[in-house]
Amino acid sequence: MGFVFVLIVGLLAGTISGIVGTGSSIMLMPVLVYQYGPKEAVPIMAVAAVMANLSRILAWWREVDWRACAAYSVSGIPAAALGARTLLVLPSRAVDVAIGVFLIAMVPVRHWLTRLRLKANLWHLAIGGAVIGYLTGIVVSTGPLSVPLFLFYGLAKGAFLATEAASSLGLYLSKSVTFERFGALTPDIAIKGLIAGSSLMSGAFIAKRFVLKLEPDVFRLIMDVIMITAGLAMLWAAAHA
């Protein structure tokens, strides 16, 4: 029954993250920790995240902004590997607190910056990729951190979901390879990650029909809710670490 529950939550998480571009790790991670323990849950989630991002790319293939993806990934991929190596020797509680506070604070800040009509360019994406990539290697999920960056770049709906997923795919692949290299990703854990990731992939394709019907204001509102929830979830995780 526990395994079935993982698949059900994964399907729900994949659908929600397929709509707003983030949230699957935050929703699925507590279930994985309960089912498999924290030591296995992190690499399992890394594998599942690879599949979740791949599914969003397949669902929105024609919408990907490859220039933005390249700018973000060129610094983010090596930074994610460095962060994953750091995770294996450094507790991440303080990082969880900082990111949780940042995510919650970013909601009013993002609205304020939007009113100023600031725009991000490719250089900003490259700098953001390095910072977010490193943090992605350390903590379970930094998906909400990339949300304002890609929105400031001017992406929305399918283009945002596809480009953010394509950019994150390289980061999670880098993280998974690092785990495997240092013995934290065994074949058994990899299989569990592939099974959990399959439910996330199914949810992404279910989400596509909802995204196409969303108004921009509703899309942004859902983003805000997810970011606040993600921030609170990280603070809760840090408090109970």
Side-chain angles (χ1 to χ4, degrees):
M1 288 299 295
F3 182 72
V4 173
F5 185 57
V6 169
L7 292 178
I8 293 174
V9 174
L11 183 63
L12 177 62
T15 302
I16 293 176
S17 66
I19 294 174
V20 300
T22 188
S24 61
S25 298
I26 294 166
M27 292 183 63
L28 187 56
M29 187 62 185
V31 179
L32 294 177
V33 171
Y34 176 79
Q35 185 69 17
Y36 302 115
K39 188 174 182 180
E40 291 190 11
V42 173
I44 288 173
M45 192 64 246
V47 174
V50 169
M51 298 180 67
N53 285 297
L54 179 60
S55 65
R56 289 203 294 272
I57 297 171
L58 295 175
W60 300 97
W61 178 260
R62 296 182 180 179
E63 301 283 345
V64 178
D65 186 326
W66 292 109
R67 291 181 64 203
C69 177
Y72 185 86
S73 301
V74 70
S75 58
I77 289 175
L82 180 61
R85 182 68 184 98
T86 303
L87 173 63
L88 297 176
V89 297
L90 183 69
S92 59
R93 183 176 180 180
V95 178
D96 284 344
V97 172
I99 292 178
V101 172
F102 175 81
L103 292 176
I104 296 172
M106 271 305 302
V107 173
V109 170
R110 184 168 67 83
H111 285 279
W112 174 66
L113 292 174
T114 300
R115 287 195 295 271
L116 295 180
R117 297 183 179 181
L118 298 178
K119 296 293 184 181
N121 56 35
L122 294 177
W123 281 107
H124 295 140
L125 291 180
I127 296 171
V131 176
I132 297 172
Y134 181 71
L135 294 177
T136 298
I138 297 177
V139 299
V140 172
S141 172
T142 54
L145 286 173
S146 61
V147 168
L149 182 62
F150 283 101
L151 291 178
F152 290 154
Y153 184 70
L155 302 176
K157 288 192 175 183
F160 162 75
L161 295 173
T163 306
E164 195 278 337
S167 302
S168 297
L169 178 62
L171 271 59
Y172 281 105
L173 278 172
S174 177
K175 183 176 181 177
S176 298
V177 169
T178 303
F179 282 149
E180 191 278 332
R181 182 176 180 183
F182 289 95
L185 182 60
T186 63
D188 178 63
I189 291 176
I191 291 174
K192 293 175 181 176
L194 292 173
I195 294 173
S198 65
S199 62
L200 296 179
M201 292 187 74
S202 300
F205 288 97
I206 295 174
K208 184 173 182 178
R209 65 178 63 187
F210 295 103
V211 174
L212 293 173
K213 297 178 181 179
L214 280 181
E215 295 295 329
D217 289 341
V218 176
F219 185 81
R220 285 188 288 267
L221 176 62
I222 296 176
M223 290 284 190
D224 290 345
V225 172
I226 289 293
M227 290 177 71
I228 292 174
T229 303
L232 293 174
M234 287 186 173
L235 291 177
W236 182 89
H240 292 79

